[in-house]
Amino acid sequence: MTKLVAFLIQLAVATALWLVLLNDVLPFTLIPLAVVPAIPSWCLVTFGAKSLASIGWSLITFGDCPEAHQEILKEIKQAHEELRRRGVTVD
Amino acid sequence: KKMSATTTNDKYSVLLPTYNERHNLPVIVWMLVRTFTEHKLDYEIIIIDDNSPDGTLDIAKQLQGVYGADRIVLRPRPGKLGLGTAYVHGIANASGNFIIIMDADMSHHPKFIPEFIRLQKAKNLDVVTGTRYDAGGGVHGWDLRRKLTSRVANYIASTLLSPDVSDLTGSFRLYKKPVLAKLMAAVISKGYVFQMEMMVRARQFNYTIGEVPITFVDRVYGESKMGADEIAQYLLGLFTLFART
Protein backbone atom coordinates (compact mmCIF):
# COMPACT_ATOMS: atom_id res chain seq x y z
CA MET A 1 0.00 0.00 0.00
CA THR A 2 1.29 3.46 -0.80
CA LYS A 3 1.66 6.24 1.74
CA LEU A 4 -1.20 8.12 0.12
CA VAL A 5 -3.55 5.17 0.48
CA ALA A 6 -2.49 4.61 4.09
CA PHE A 7 -3.16 8.26 4.84
CA LEU A 8 -6.59 8.19 3.18
CA ILE A 9 -7.57 5.11 5.15
CA GLN A 10 -6.50 6.75 8.41
CA LEU A 11 -8.46 9.87 7.44
CA ALA A 12 -11.55 7.78 6.65
CA VAL A 13 -11.38 5.96 9.98
CA ALA A 14 -10.93 9.21 11.90
CA THR A 15 -13.83 10.83 10.03
CA ALA A 16 -16.08 7.86 10.76
CA LEU A 17 -15.22 8.03 14.46
CA TRP A 18 -15.88 11.75 14.47
CA LEU A 19 -19.28 11.28 12.79
CA VAL A 20 -20.21 8.67 15.38
CA LEU A 21 -19.39 11.12 18.15
CA LEU A 22 -21.18 13.95 16.38
CA ASN A 23 -24.42 12.02 16.07
CA ASP A 24 -24.34 11.13 19.74
CA VAL A 25 -25.16 7.45 19.11
CA LEU A 26 -23.01 6.01 21.86
CA PRO A 27 -24.75 5.19 25.20
CA PHE A 28 -21.89 6.92 27.08
CA THR A 29 -20.08 10.23 26.68
CA LEU A 30 -16.52 9.93 25.39
CA ILE A 31 -16.12 13.62 24.63
CA PRO A 32 -18.63 16.35 25.58
CA LEU A 33 -20.98 16.84 22.60
CA ALA A 34 -20.48 20.60 22.50
CA VAL A 35 -16.80 20.12 21.77
CA VAL A 36 -17.07 17.52 19.00
CA PRO A 37 -17.86 19.85 16.04
CA ALA A 38 -14.66 21.77 16.80
CA ILE A 39 -12.36 18.74 16.64
CA PRO A 40 -11.42 18.98 12.92
CA SER A 41 -10.42 22.64 13.14
CA TRP A 42 -8.60 21.94 16.38
CA CYS A 43 -6.60 19.24 14.60
CA LEU A 44 -5.69 21.58 11.75
CA VAL A 45 -4.67 24.41 14.02
CA THR A 46 -2.60 22.12 16.24
CA PHE A 47 -0.86 20.65 13.22
CA GLY A 48 -0.22 24.15 11.87
CA ALA A 49 1.18 25.35 15.17
CA LYS A 50 3.46 22.31 15.55
CA SER A 51 4.69 22.73 11.99
CA LEU A 52 5.51 26.40 12.50
CA ALA A 53 7.30 25.63 15.74
CA SER A 54 9.32 22.84 14.13
CA ILE A 55 10.31 24.92 11.11
CA GLY A 56 11.06 27.94 13.27
CA TRP A 57 13.26 25.90 15.58
CA SER A 58 15.14 24.23 12.74
CA LEU A 59 15.72 27.66 11.22
CA ILE A 60 17.12 29.08 14.45
CA THR A 61 19.40 26.11 15.01
CA PHE A 62 20.55 26.02 11.38
CA GLY A 63 24.28 25.33 11.35
CA ASP A 64 26.39 28.03 9.80
CA CYS A 65 29.93 27.20 8.82
CA PRO A 66 31.94 30.23 7.78
CA GLU A 67 35.18 28.42 8.67
CA ALA A 68 34.38 25.80 6.06
CA HIS A 69 34.33 28.53 3.42
CA GLN A 70 37.68 29.95 4.56
CA GLU A 71 39.20 26.49 4.67
CA ILE A 72 38.08 25.70 1.15
CA LEU A 73 39.46 28.94 -0.25
CA LYS A 74 42.87 28.10 1.23
CA GLU A 75 42.74 24.58 -0.17
CA ILE A 76 41.80 25.86 -3.60
CA LYS A 77 44.95 28.00 -3.63
CA GLN A 78 47.05 25.05 -2.51
CA ALA A 79 45.52 22.80 -5.15
CA HIS A 80 46.06 25.36 -7.90
CA GLU A 81 49.75 25.73 -7.03
CA GLU A 82 50.45 22.03 -6.99
CA LEU A 83 48.41 21.27 -10.09
CA ARG A 84 50.05 24.02 -12.12
CA ARG A 85 53.43 22.60 -11.15
CA ARG A 86 52.34 19.22 -12.43
CA GLY A 87 51.08 20.54 -15.74
CA VAL A 88 47.33 20.82 -15.33
CA THR A 89 45.63 23.84 -16.85
CA VAL A 90 44.16 25.84 -14.00
CA ASP A 91 42.19 28.96 -14.87
CA LYS B 1 43.26 8.23 13.09
CA LYS B 2 44.22 6.63 9.78
CA MET B 3 42.23 3.90 8.10
CA SER B 4 44.17 1.16 6.39
CA ALA B 5 43.01 -0.67 3.31
CA THR B 6 45.89 -3.10 3.46
CA THR B 7 43.94 -5.50 5.62
CA THR B 8 40.74 -5.28 3.56
CA ASN B 9 39.89 -5.62 -0.09
CA ASP B 10 37.62 -2.61 -0.11
CA LYS B 11 37.82 -0.23 -3.03
CA TYR B 12 35.89 3.02 -3.25
CA SER B 13 34.65 4.27 -6.63
CA VAL B 14 33.75 7.95 -6.65
CA LEU B 15 31.25 8.93 -9.33
CA LEU B 16 31.69 12.50 -10.56
CA PRO B 17 29.16 13.52 -13.19
CA THR B 18 30.40 16.76 -14.72
CA TYR B 19 28.98 19.45 -16.93
CA ASN B 20 31.05 22.61 -17.40
CA GLU B 21 33.25 22.06 -14.37
CA ARG B 22 36.68 22.90 -15.81
CA HIS B 23 37.45 25.18 -12.83
CA ASN B 24 36.19 22.89 -10.08
CA LEU B 25 37.26 19.51 -11.40
CA PRO B 26 41.03 19.79 -10.82
CA VAL B 27 40.51 20.99 -7.26
CA ILE B 28 37.97 18.34 -6.30
CA VAL B 29 40.15 15.61 -7.80
CA TRP B 30 43.19 16.97 -5.94
CA MET B 31 41.24 16.95 -2.67
CA LEU B 32 39.94 13.42 -3.27
CA VAL B 33 43.38 12.06 -4.11
CA ARG B 34 44.83 13.71 -1.02
CA THR B 35 42.13 12.30 1.28
CA PHE B 36 42.34 8.75 -0.07
CA THR B 37 46.14 8.73 -0.08
CA GLU B 38 46.42 10.11 3.45
CA HIS B 39 44.07 7.45 4.73
CA LYS B 40 45.61 4.65 2.64
CA LEU B 41 42.33 3.80 0.93
CA ASP B 42 42.03 2.04 -2.40
CA TYR B 43 40.04 4.21 -4.80
CA GLU B 44 39.20 5.30 -8.29
CA ILE B 45 37.52 8.49 -9.50
CA ILE B 46 35.13 7.99 -12.41
CA ILE B 47 34.53 11.21 -14.30
CA ILE B 48 31.35 11.16 -16.37
CA ASP B 49 31.45 14.22 -18.55
CA ASP B 50 28.40 15.04 -20.64
CA ASN B 51 30.30 16.60 -23.53
CA SER B 52 30.93 19.90 -21.70
CA PRO B 53 31.45 22.76 -24.14
CA ASP B 54 34.00 24.38 -21.78
CA GLY B 55 36.56 21.60 -22.26
CA THR B 56 36.10 19.80 -18.93
CA LEU B 57 37.12 16.53 -20.59
CA ASP B 58 40.52 17.94 -21.60
CA ILE B 59 41.18 18.90 -17.99
CA ALA B 60 40.10 15.40 -16.97
CA LYS B 61 42.63 13.91 -19.40
CA GLN B 62 45.40 16.08 -17.92
CA LEU B 63 44.46 14.88 -14.44
CA GLN B 64 44.60 11.33 -15.72
CA GLY B 65 48.13 12.05 -16.91
CA VAL B 66 49.11 13.26 -13.44
CA TYR B 67 47.42 10.65 -11.26
CA GLY B 68 47.24 7.63 -13.53
CA ALA B 69 44.53 5.92 -15.54
CA ASP B 70 43.89 3.40 -12.77
CA ARG B 71 42.91 6.21 -10.40
CA ILE B 72 41.20 8.60 -12.84
CA VAL B 73 38.75 6.77 -15.06
CA LEU B 74 37.09 8.67 -17.90
CA ARG B 75 33.68 7.59 -19.09
CA PRO B 76 32.34 10.53 -21.09
CA ARG B 77 28.93 10.66 -22.73
CA PRO B 78 27.84 12.35 -25.96
CA GLY B 79 25.47 14.89 -24.35
CA LYS B 80 23.62 16.12 -21.28
CA LEU B 81 21.82 12.93 -20.32
CA GLY B 82 20.89 13.51 -16.69
CA LEU B 83 22.10 12.44 -13.27
CA GLY B 84 20.20 9.16 -12.96
CA THR B 85 21.67 7.67 -16.12
CA ALA B 86 25.09 9.03 -15.12
CA TYR B 87 24.94 6.95 -11.95
CA VAL B 88 23.86 3.84 -13.86
CA HIS B 89 26.66 4.41 -16.37
CA GLY B 90 29.11 4.95 -13.51
CA ILE B 91 28.12 1.83 -11.62
CA ALA B 92 28.56 -0.27 -14.78
CA ASN B 93 32.14 1.00 -15.03
CA ALA B 94 33.06 0.88 -11.35
CA SER B 95 35.59 -1.67 -10.13
CA GLY B 96 35.08 -0.83 -6.46
CA ASN B 97 32.73 -2.58 -4.07
CA PHE B 98 31.62 0.77 -2.64
CA ILE B 99 30.32 3.77 -4.55
CA ILE B 100 30.55 7.38 -3.38
CA ILE B 101 28.37 9.95 -5.05
CA MET B 102 28.97 13.65 -4.59
CA ASP B 103 28.83 17.00 -6.35
CA ALA B 104 31.82 18.07 -8.41
CA ASP B 105 31.49 21.77 -7.55
CA MET B 106 33.22 21.57 -4.15
CA SER B 107 30.04 21.97 -2.12
CA HIS B 108 30.85 18.50 -0.77
CA HIS B 109 34.25 18.23 0.91
CA PRO B 110 36.15 14.93 0.56
CA LYS B 111 37.43 15.26 4.13
CA PHE B 112 34.16 13.70 5.30
CA ILE B 113 34.68 10.52 3.29
CA PRO B 114 36.85 8.78 5.93
CA GLU B 115 34.09 9.48 8.45
CA PHE B 116 31.49 7.93 6.11
CA ILE B 117 33.72 4.88 5.77
CA ARG B 118 34.33 4.64 9.51
CA LEU B 119 30.60 4.66 10.24
CA GLN B 120 29.87 2.20 7.45
CA LYS B 121 32.44 -0.27 8.79
CA ALA B 122 31.39 0.13 12.41
CA LYS B 123 27.80 -0.93 11.71
CA ASN B 124 28.11 -2.64 8.33
CA LEU B 125 25.69 -0.10 6.87
CA ASP B 126 24.23 -0.34 3.39
CA VAL B 127 24.07 3.42 2.97
CA VAL B 128 25.77 6.37 4.65
CA THR B 129 24.41 9.80 3.85
CA GLY B 130 25.81 13.21 4.67
CA THR B 131 23.43 15.50 6.52
CA ARG B 132 23.60 19.28 6.54
CA TYR B 133 20.89 19.55 9.18
CA ASP B 134 22.04 17.40 12.06
CA ALA B 135 24.18 18.80 14.88
CA GLY B 136 27.68 19.31 13.54
CA GLY B 137 26.46 19.84 10.02
CA GLY B 138 25.91 23.18 8.36
CA VAL B 139 25.66 25.24 5.24
CA HIS B 140 27.59 28.32 4.18
CA GLY B 141 26.40 30.71 1.53
CA TRP B 142 22.64 30.61 2.07
CA ASP B 143 20.63 33.69 3.00
CA LEU B 144 17.65 33.48 5.35
CA ARG B 145 15.18 32.98 2.53
CA ARG B 146 17.14 30.07 1.09
CA LYS B 147 17.47 28.48 4.52
CA LEU B 148 13.74 28.85 5.09
CA THR B 149 12.94 27.29 1.71
CA SER B 150 15.23 24.39 2.48
CA ARG B 151 13.78 23.81 5.96
CA VAL B 152 10.18 23.95 4.76
CA ALA B 153 10.96 21.62 1.87
CA ASN B 154 12.61 19.13 4.20
CA TYR B 155 9.75 19.42 6.69
CA ILE B 156 7.08 18.72 4.07
CA ALA B 157 9.07 15.79 2.69
CA SER B 158 9.65 14.34 6.15
CA THR B 159 5.98 14.69 7.10
CA LEU B 160 4.74 13.07 3.91
CA LEU B 161 7.35 10.36 3.53
CA SER B 162 8.53 9.79 7.13
CA PRO B 163 11.83 8.20 6.11
CA ASP B 164 13.63 9.10 9.33
CA VAL B 165 16.53 10.72 7.47
CA SER B 166 17.36 14.28 8.50
CA ASP B 167 18.66 15.50 5.12
CA LEU B 168 16.53 14.02 2.36
CA THR B 169 17.74 15.95 -0.65
CA GLY B 170 21.42 15.53 0.16
CA SER B 171 23.58 13.98 -2.55
CA PHE B 172 26.81 13.20 -0.70
CA ARG B 173 26.48 9.49 -0.03
CA LEU B 174 28.32 6.20 0.27
CA TYR B 175 26.61 3.02 -0.92
CA LYS B 176 27.52 -0.62 -1.16
CA LYS B 177 27.62 -1.17 -4.91
CA PRO B 178 24.87 -3.82 -5.12
CA VAL B 179 22.65 -1.64 -2.90
CA LEU B 180 23.02 1.36 -5.21
CA ALA B 181 22.35 -0.80 -8.25
CA LYS B 182 19.14 -2.13 -6.73
CA LEU B 183 17.97 1.34 -5.71
CA MET B 184 18.69 2.79 -9.15
CA ALA B 185 16.56 0.06 -10.70
CA ALA B 186 13.63 0.96 -8.44
CA VAL B 187 13.75 4.76 -8.62
CA ILE B 188 11.22 6.59 -10.83
CA SER B 189 11.72 10.33 -10.22
CA LYS B 190 14.21 12.96 -11.42
CA GLY B 191 15.86 16.08 -10.03
CA TYR B 192 15.89 16.85 -6.29
CA VAL B 193 13.19 14.30 -5.73
CA PHE B 194 15.40 11.54 -7.15
CA GLN B 195 17.78 11.82 -4.18
CA MET B 196 14.82 11.74 -1.79
CA GLU B 197 13.38 8.70 -3.47
CA MET B 198 16.67 6.84 -3.01
CA MET B 199 16.26 7.17 0.77
CA VAL B 200 12.58 6.28 0.72
CA ARG B 201 13.29 3.16 -1.35
CA ALA B 202 16.22 2.28 0.89
CA ARG B 203 13.83 2.28 3.86
CA GLN B 204 11.33 0.27 1.86
CA PHE B 205 13.95 -2.39 1.14
CA ASN B 206 15.01 -2.33 4.80
CA TYR B 207 18.53 -1.21 4.05
CA THR B 208 20.48 0.15 7.00
CA ILE B 209 21.18 3.88 6.75
CA GLY B 210 23.61 5.98 8.77
CA GLU B 211 24.13 9.75 8.78
CA VAL B 212 27.27 11.84 9.10
CA PRO B 213 27.05 15.62 9.68
CA ILE B 214 28.71 17.51 6.85
CA THR B 215 29.37 21.14 6.04
CA PHE B 216 28.11 22.28 2.68
CA VAL B 217 29.65 25.32 1.00
CA ASP B 218 27.23 26.36 -1.67
CA ARG B 219 28.82 27.49 -4.90
CA VAL B 220 32.23 28.68 -3.79
CA TYR B 221 31.97 31.10 -6.67
CA GLY B 222 28.53 32.73 -6.76
CA GLU B 223 25.13 31.58 -5.50
CA SER B 224 22.85 28.88 -6.89
CA LYS B 225 19.31 29.73 -7.87
CA MET B 226 16.07 28.43 -6.33
CA GLY B 227 13.14 29.82 -8.26
CA ALA B 228 9.40 29.25 -8.31
CA ASP B 229 9.85 26.73 -11.09
CA GLU B 230 12.13 24.53 -9.01
CA ILE B 231 9.74 24.75 -6.06
CA ALA B 232 6.76 23.72 -8.18
CA GLN B 233 8.72 20.82 -9.66
CA TYR B 234 9.81 19.76 -6.20
CA LEU B 235 6.29 19.73 -4.75
CA LEU B 236 4.95 17.86 -7.74
CA GLY B 237 7.75 15.29 -7.52
CA LEU B 238 7.24 14.94 -3.78
CA PHE B 239 3.53 14.33 -4.12
CA THR B 240 4.14 11.79 -6.89
CA LEU B 241 6.48 9.96 -4.55
CA PHE B 242 3.87 10.11 -1.78
CA ALA B 243 1.29 8.57 -4.09
CA ARG B 244 3.55 5.90 -5.60
CA THR B 245 5.62 4.49 -2.71
Side-chain angles (χ1 to χ4, degrees):
Chain A
M1 126 167 24
T2 67
K3 294 189 166 58
L4 176 60
V5 168
F7 170 71
L8 289 174
I9 289 176
Q10 285 165 9
L11 189 63
V13 168
T15 308
L17 269 169
W18 179 68
L19 286 171
V20 164
L21 288 173
L22 196 63
N23 289 303
D24 206 14
V25 291
L26 296 174
F28 51 87
T29 310
L30 213 58
I31 297 176
L33 189 59
V35 170
V36 174
I39 290 178
S41 17
W42 176 85
C43 287
L44 279 170
V45 171
T46 307
F47 174 71
K50 278 192 177 161
S51 301
L52 279 176
S54 173
I55 292 169
W57 178 251
S58 57
L59 204 59
I60 292 172
T61 56
F62 208 114
D64 241 320
C65 48
E67 346 72 47
H69 191 222
Q70 296 309 314
E71 188 189 333
I72 266 222
L73 290 177
K74 271 199 221 113
E75 286 173 321
I76 291 175
K77 262 191 78 192
Q78 221 185 322
H80 282 178
E81 280 163 15
E82 186 179 321
L83 288 167
R84 275 197 190 105
R85 258 191 297 118
R86 301 181 77 169
V88 179
T89 313
V90 177
D91 43 40
Chain B
K1 187 169 170 239
K2 304 222 167 139
M3 308 224 32
S4 174
T6 52
T7 50
T8 73
N9 290 319
D10 293 326
K11 183 172 181 182
Y12 300 90
S13 299
V14 180
L15 300 188
L16 278 185
T18 60
Y19 190 74
N20 284 347
E21 296 284 8
R22 77 176 282 126
H23 304 292
N24 294 323
L25 186 62
V27 182
I28 191 78
V29 167
W30 180 85
M31 293 200 291
L32 281 165
V33 171
R34 189 180 63 164
T35 304
F36 284 122
T37 312
E38 262 174 24
H39 291 263
K40 296 189 173 55
L41 296 163
D42 192 11
Y43 72 98
E44 63 181 353
I45 300 170
I46 304 177
I47 300 174
I48 303 154
D49 185 55
D50 283 359
N51 203 13
S52 301
D54 74 346
T56 302
L57 191 56
D58 295 325
I59 305 288
K61 288 183 182 144
Q62 287 177 0
L63 290 164
Q64 198 176 47
V66 171
Y67 294 115
D70 57 329
R71 293 304 190 196
I72 311 287
V73 178
L74 303 183
R75 292 286 178 262
R77 305 193 299 175
K80 221 173 175 202
L81 299 176
L83 201 57
T85 48
Y87 288 165
V88 173
H89 185 66
I91 297 173
N93 289 286
S95 63
N97 54 334
F98 287 97
I99 310 268
I100 295 169
I101 61 154
M102 60 191 296
D103 292 347
D105 63 0
M106 291 186 284
S107 48
H108 294 143
H109 199 303
K111 70 180 177 185
F112 294 107
I113 291 178
E115 189 50 42
F116 281 35
I117 294 174
R118 199 188 326 268
L119 187 63
Q120 190 281 322
K121 288 212 171 312
K123 304 184 182 177
N124 191 21
L125 298 171
D126 298 311
V127 184
V128 179
T129 177
T131 170
R132 296 161 291 180
Y133 303 142
D134 247 1
V139 178
H140 172 83
W142 281 1
D143 59 6
L144 187 63
R145 203 172 81 154
R146 182 71 181 83
K147 285 182 186 177
L148 180 63
T149 311
S150 159
R151 276 320 209 173
V152 172
N154 210 58
Y155 179 77
I156 297 174
S158 280
T159 306
L160 283 181
L161 304 174
S162 44
D164 200 16
V165 170
S166 68
D167 186 348
L168 274 172
T169 54
S171 51
F172 190 5
R173 296 178 176 156
L174 166 69
Y175 296 88
K176 288 182 182 171
K177 188 159 83 171
V179 170
L180 181 59
K182 181 156 183 211
L183 288 174
M184 292 304 309
V187 154
I188 51 178
S189 32
K190 307 200 189 304
Y192 289 111
V193 185
F194 157 72
Q195 301 290 1
M196 284 196 298
E197 189 180 352
M198 299 281 270
M199 293 296 99
V200 173
R201 297 285 177 195
R203 284 286 179 219
Q204 227 177 25
F205 297 144
N206 283 320
Y207 285 134
T208 48
I209 304 174
E211 293 193 277
V212 170
I214 57 164
T215 51
F216 179 94
V217 179
D218 194 3
R219 294 263 139 221
V220 183
Y221 310 111
E223 209 186 294
S224 60
K225 306 277 180 282
M226 168 69 73
D229 229 17
E230 272 93 11
I231 294 175
Q233 249 179 32
Y234 173 82
L235 290 173
L236 185 60
L238 185 52
F239 191 74
T240 308
L241 210 50
F242 180 61
R244 311 238 323 241
T245 59

